[in-house]
Amino acid sequence: MNTINYIVVGLLSLSIVSCTGIYENGAELAADSKAGVHQIEIGDLQTRIENGGDYYLIDVRQPADYYTSSIPGSVLIPRGVLEFKIADTGFWSEQYIYPPEKDSEIIVYSSNGDSGILAAKSLMQLGYTKVYNLEGGYKAFNSTQDPGAVAVKP
């Protein structure tokens, strides 16, 4: 019976060690995921916007946030549908843009950067190799936005 106890204790120990973390909220999950996601700074994004170039800028916030104010040249794909829309040729044809290739440069941004981290991680899991999150999100990009601004319907 001693052997059975050792086996049970060993299996319990193995199951505890192999468990992934359980997070209290999305901010904790984003903080834990941040190390595996490339960040782009505000100045680098502004340089890309000014100089043009071949990249996709995706806003993963909600439509009301996007229509209140967004970064010029960005495309709205809310975080909840990103994985389904990113390769959807119908969606991209509505934007008059070709869908991104797996090696296209993709920059995502959210309100404060946390959802952007999770979006970037998800795109990397789908095989996209040049994915960046805007550090600090839209709030860092446009720190002077009026907090009372309301959405303008398209």
Side-chain angles (χ1 to χ4, degrees):
M1 190 150 322
N2 231 357
T3 305
I4 293 175
N5 287 340
Y6 285 124
I7 292 172
V8 170
V9 169
L11 289 174
L12 286 174
S13 298
L14 181 61
S15 67
I16 290 170
V17 170
S18 65
C19 286
T20 57
I22 297 185
Y23 304 98
E24 291 292 322
N25 55 46
E28 282 185 9
L29 177 60
D32 191 46
S33 301
K34 187 174 182 177
V37 173
H38 299 289
Q39 303 287 319
I40 184 170
E41 294 180 2
I42 301 298
D44 292 335
L45 176 60
Q46 288 174 328
T47 300
R48 281 186 171 85
I49 291 170
E50 291 167 7
N51 296 337
D54 192 17
Y55 63 91
Y56 292 82
L57 181 58
I58 300 175
D59 185 331
V60 298
R61 299 176 300 157
Q62 294 301 307
D65 297 323
Y66 178 80
Y67 293 121
T68 300
S69 185
S70 60
I71 299 174
S74 63
V75 174
L76 173 65
I77 309 179
R79 173 73 187 96
V81 295
L82 177 66
E83 295 82 357
F84 302 100
K85 297 277 188 186
I86 192 67
D88 181 350
T89 55
F91 168 79
W92 289 103
S93 67
E94 292 171 2
Q95 310 301 314
Y96 302 102
I97 305 171
Y98 288 108
E101 301 289 328
K102 295 292 184 175
D103 64 346
S104 297
E105 183 174 356
I106 300 172
I107 302 167
V108 296
Y109 71 92
S110 61
S111 182
N112 67 2
D114 287 350
S115 292
I117 290 169
L118 300 178
K121 182 177 179 181
S122 184
L123 291 175
M124 292 185 311
Q125 290 173 328
L126 289 172
Y128 294 90
T129 58
K130 296 178 184 172
V131 182
Y132 302 88
N133 175 54
L134 179 61
E135 194 166 6
Y138 186 76
K139 288 180 181 178
F141 182 84
N142 185 8
S143 60
T144 61
Q145 179 181 343
D146 177 6
V150 290
V152 176
K153 301 217 176 181

